[in-house]
Amino acid sequence: MPELPEIYNISEQLNKEIVGLVITNSTIFQEKSINIKTKDFNNSIINQEIFNVTSRGKWVFITFKSLDKLFINLGMGGDLLYTTEIPKKKHQAIINFDNGYLLSFRFWWFGYIHFVKKGETHHMTNKLGIDIFRDNITKKEFLTLVKARRGSLKSFLLNQKNIAGIGNYYIHDLLFKSKINPLKKIPEVSTRKLGMLYNVILSEFEDSISKRGAHYELDIYNQKGLFQANNVAYKEGELCLCGTKIKKVKTGSTSSYYCPRCQK
Amino acid sequence: MPELPEIYNISEQLNKEIVGLVITNSTIFQEKSINIKTKDFNNSIINQEIFNVTSRGKWVFITFKSLDKLFINLGMGGDLLYTTEIPKKKHQAIINFDNGYLLSFRFWWFGYIHFVKKGETHHMTNKLGIDIFRDNITKKEFLTLVKARRGSLKSFLLNQKNIAGIGNYYIHDLLFKSKINPLKKIPEVSTRKLGMLYNVILSEFEDSISKRGAHYELDIYNQKGLFQANNVAYKEGELCLCGTKIKKVKTGSTSSYYCPRCQK
DNA sequence: TGGATAAACATAGA
DNA sequence: CTCTATGTTTATCC
């Protein structure tokens, strides 16, 4: 499940590669991935020229010269490859360009490629929260945002309407490095720790982006990233750096792994 | 806080006393209690003849011959007296009839006397749930209704959108007599106990109505009711009939008192 | 817990 | 936690 650093990286790579290219063909293998009929989708994007590519949270935005857009979400695992040959692995969609290259969209489960006409809004992204990286959010703004709420900090961070881009892989590491217990509610966490969390998010994401994302995700060139988090092991009973056994707790629909000694 | 039995009793008493009477005057001391301007309210009801009086849950409905209506809610404590003399206790409204009698509305806190024109709907009562007593709900209907939900049974019963008329006084007794622990969620309660609960609600309400309501509430003649619940004491540590100490637990915004032995 | 409303939280579904 | 929709609870207001 690619999160902010991977999506940021993918969008920047695409921005380098496909701006100015024109779409010559499009093949949809899974109509559930798109938001309109396949025929309409193809008619809408073929012959369009790419204007730019950017991202917000876990969403990639491809803007055409016409200002129509594609909103792409890779869902729970998936990749977006830029290549000349159709990949052998099962994919949901292929988009061809006039330079002989193509984009292959592969979703492990749910994923979206939504076409949105110029000026129209997209219901899945118009409520997206801040992208702490692209929006140049200051620590003060971050603290104001967080402290307005009283629920669990982990839920807050994972909710894309608050802060877009944090998912289940990075959250453990972010909380570990900020020494925050994943069960805590926002009012129970000191301002100092919330400030530390802000620093950690920025530095961790910058670090990961510079390494082209997480080690188990692919970039558009089919290359794995070099970033490895996992300061807190993903198995109950494994040892933290401090020697304490990692604890597993249910936090909503997923679990959290944390060190009872380091994360108070 | 009058609940179904008291409200049922008040509406039936009114139905015996005021049908056919004509309103000659109306005085509003607290404009927050009504839904339109005082002047409009008075103009709307003066000279109207009472057609009938009925109730649903904690609401009293006075219908005029014109089919305009008054929707009355006594809120958290309050009384509605039918008398010839203006009561000395502070009241929010007085309505006079052509036989020399008057209705005095007294609210301890929030209470409503809403005027609704013929055919129009009233937003506070149009989502009201069933009145188990007036609607002749069968046990099967009751079970279907309850079992469609998964939240706490106590919340379900107190929510006027589900079943109208149960409040904080009767709820303890109803759960005690049904041997249901007030902390249970609906799926955790056996069908047998839910069926028992249905019987208990009907029998308890019938009993209370026959005694003109709870012992601490007043009917329209300023007389206290004769019904006493309190099988489960309202003080932590007091003894249940079985000798076990009553336990107090938080259930949402209020507390529940229950016998850990009798109410499993 | 009287009732409205909004936010917060939980769960199922696609 | 990918996102939506729905249900349920909590908090605050009047």
Side-chain angles (χ1 to χ4, degrees):
Chain A
M1 44 193 102
E3 303 177 26
L4 189 144
E6 293 77 41
I7 294 299
Y8 182 91
N9 187 50
I10 286 171
S11 69
E12 290 294 297
Q13 290 182 335
L14 283 176
N15 199 49
K16 231 181 271 170
E17 298 286 356
I18 70 172
V19 169
L21 300 185
V22 173
I23 292 176
T24 54
N25 198 20
S26 146
T27 320
I28 304 298
F29 301 102
Q30 174 52 274
E31 201 167 20
K32 280 188 182 174
S33 303
I34 57 179
N35 57 332
I36 50 180
K37 290 261 167 275
T38 297
K39 208 182 138 191
D40 296 333
F41 184 85
N42 293 339
N43 287 338
S44 297
I45 70 166
I46 289 172
N47 291 325
Q48 294 245 35
E49 178 181 336
I50 311 299
F51 178 69
N52 78 3
V53 186
T54 183
S55 70
R56 168 170 289 265
K58 302 175 188 173
W59 288 82
V60 174
F61 306 139
I62 297 181
T63 305
F64 299 113
K65 215 173 165 183
S66 66
L67 300 186
D68 293 346
K69 286 179 181 160
L70 287 180
F71 289 72
I72 297 156
N73 186 302
L74 299 182
M76 303 177 75
D79 47 54
L80 205 178
L81 304 180
Y82 179 69
T83 173
T84 49
E85 283 172 32
I86 297 181
K88 291 199 184 74
K89 284 189 289 187
K90 192 190 173 189
H91 42 254
Q92 280 72 34
I94 297 282
I95 289 178
N96 301 85
F97 295 111
D98 58 354
N99 66 346
Y101 276 76
L102 60 85
L103 285 180
S104 130
F105 298 79
R106 195 177 64 80
F107 308 132
W108 172 67
W109 204 357
F110 303 108
Y112 311 109
I113 313 170
H114 285 180
F115 176 80
V116 178
K117 279 205 80 63
K118 170 186 176 182
E120 289 182 359
T121 57
H122 179 242
H123 68 112
M124 283 186 174
T125 53
N126 60 7
K127 282 173 195 158
L128 226 45
I130 57 165
D131 181 308
I132 199 169
F133 206 77
R134 290 214 184 256
D135 293 340
N136 284 109
I137 297 296
T138 65
K139 185 183 287 194
K140 200 180 159 196
E141 289 167 326
F142 176 81
L143 289 176
T144 304
L145 200 62
V146 176
K147 288 170 149 240
R149 305 301 206 70
R150 275 161 304 170
S152 119
L153 178 61
K154 191 187 172 202
S155 299
F156 176 88
L157 295 171
L158 288 170
N159 185 339
Q160 305 300 304
K161 286 171 194 152
N162 303 137
I163 296 180
I166 301 175
N168 205 36
Y169 176 63
Y170 287 95
I171 188 70
H172 296 93
D173 215 41
L174 297 174
L175 292 176
F176 175 74
K177 288 184 175 158
S178 313
K179 303 185 193 302
I180 296 170
N181 183 305
L183 296 170
K184 290 272 190 251
K185 287 174 188 291
I186 291 168
E188 298 164 356
V189 181
S190 70
T191 305
R192 197 182 57 74
K193 284 199 175 177
L194 291 174
M196 181 146 66
L197 173 63
Y198 169 84
N199 297 341
V200 168
I201 295 174
L202 277 191
S203 65
E204 173 118 338
F205 281 3
E206 270 172 38
D207 183 28
S208 180
I209 289 166
S210 76
K211 293 173 175 159
R212 301 193 320 275
H215 64 96
Y216 58 90
E217 299 284 5
L218 297 172
D219 67 6
I220 71 168
Y221 308 113
N222 204 22
Q223 274 208 318
K224 287 186 172 173
L226 300 171
F227 178 82
Q228 188 115 17
N230 276 341
N231 278 329
V232 173
Y234 274 80
K235 273 184 189 152
E236 203 175 0
E238 281 194 21
L239 298 186
C240 174
L241 303 172
C242 74
T244 310
K245 275 192 182 172
I246 295 304
K247 213 175 150 185
K248 177 183 183 177
V249 286
K250 279 272 171 199
T251 49
S253 56
T254 47
S255 293
S256 279
Y257 300 86
Y258 74 103
C259 171
R261 185 170 168 197
C262 297
Q263 292 170 266
K264 307 259 172 144
Chain B
M1 46 193 100
E3 303 177 26
L4 189 144
E6 293 77 41
I7 294 299
Y8 182 91
N9 186 51
I10 286 172
S11 68
E12 289 294 298
Q13 290 181 334
L14 284 176
N15 198 49
K16 231 181 271 169
E17 298 288 353
I18 70 172
V19 169
L21 299 186
V22 173
I23 292 177
T24 54
N25 197 20
S26 146
T27 320
I28 304 299
F29 301 101
Q30 173 53 273
E31 200 166 20
K32 281 187 180 172
S33 304
I34 57 179
N35 57 332
I36 49 179
K37 290 260 167 276
T38 297
K39 207 182 139 190
D40 296 333
F41 184 85
N42 293 339
N43 287 339
S44 297
I45 68 167
I46 288 173
N47 290 326
Q48 294 245 34
E49 179 182 337
I50 311 299
F51 178 70
N52 79 2
V53 185
T54 182
S55 70
R56 168 171 289 264
K58 301 176 189 173
W59 288 82
V60 174
F61 307 139
I62 297 181
T63 305
F64 299 113
K65 216 171 166 184
S66 66
L67 299 187
D68 293 345
K69 285 178 181 159
L70 288 181
F71 289 73
I72 298 156
N73 186 301
L74 299 182
M76 303 176 75
D79 48 54
L80 206 178
L81 304 180
Y82 179 69
T83 173
T84 48
E85 283 171 35
I86 297 181
K88 292 200 182 76
K89 284 189 285 189
K90 192 188 173 189
H91 42 254
Q92 279 73 33
I94 296 282
I95 289 178
N96 299 84
F97 295 111
D98 59 352
N99 65 346
Y101 275 77
L102 60 86
L103 285 180
S104 129
F105 298 80
R106 195 176 63 80
F107 308 133
W108 172 66
W109 204 359
F110 303 108
Y112 310 110
I113 313 171
H114 285 180
F115 176 80
V116 178
K117 279 207 78 65
K118 170 186 175 182
E120 290 181 359
T121 58
H122 179 240
H123 70 283
M124 283 186 177
T125 53
N126 61 6
K127 284 173 195 156
L128 226 45
I130 57 164
D131 181 310
I132 200 169
F133 205 77
R134 289 216 185 255
D135 293 340
N136 283 109
I137 298 295
T138 65
K139 184 183 285 195
K140 200 180 159 197
E141 288 167 326
F142 176 81
L143 289 175
T144 305
L145 201 61
V146 176
K147 287 168 152 241
R149 304 303 205 69
R150 274 162 306 170
S152 114
L153 178 60
K154 191 186 170 203
S155 299
F156 175 88
L157 294 171
L158 289 171
N159 186 337
Q160 305 300 305
K161 286 172 193 149
N162 303 137
I163 296 179
I166 301 176
N168 205 34
Y169 176 65
Y170 286 97
I171 188 70
H172 296 93
D173 214 42
L174 297 174
L175 292 176
F176 175 75
K177 288 185 177 157
S178 313
K179 301 185 194 302
I180 297 171
N181 184 305
L183 295 170
K184 291 270 190 248
K185 286 173 189 288
I186 289 167
E188 299 164 356
V189 180
S190 70
T191 305
R192 197 183 56 74
K193 282 198 177 177
L194 290 175
M196 182 145 65
L197 173 63
Y198 169 85
N199 297 341
V200 168
I201 295 173
L202 278 190
S203 65
E204 172 117 338
F205 282 2
E206 270 173 40
D207 183 28
S208 180
I209 288 166
S210 76
K211 291 173 177 160
R212 299 193 321 273
H215 63 95
Y216 57 90
E217 299 285 5
L218 297 172
D219 66 7
I220 70 168
Y221 309 113
N222 204 21
Q223 274 209 318
K224 287 186 171 175
L226 299 171
F227 179 81
Q228 188 117 16
N230 277 339
N231 277 327
V232 173
Y234 274 81
K235 275 186 189 153
E236 202 176 359
E238 282 194 19
L239 298 186
C240 173
L241 301 173
C242 74
T244 309
K245 273 193 183 173
I246 294 304
K247 214 176 151 185
K248 176 182 183 175
V249 287
K250 278 270 170 200
T251 49
S253 55
T254 47
S255 294
S256 279
Y257 301 85
Y258 74 104
C259 170
R261 185 170 169 197
C262 296
Q263 292 169 267
K264 307 256 173 141

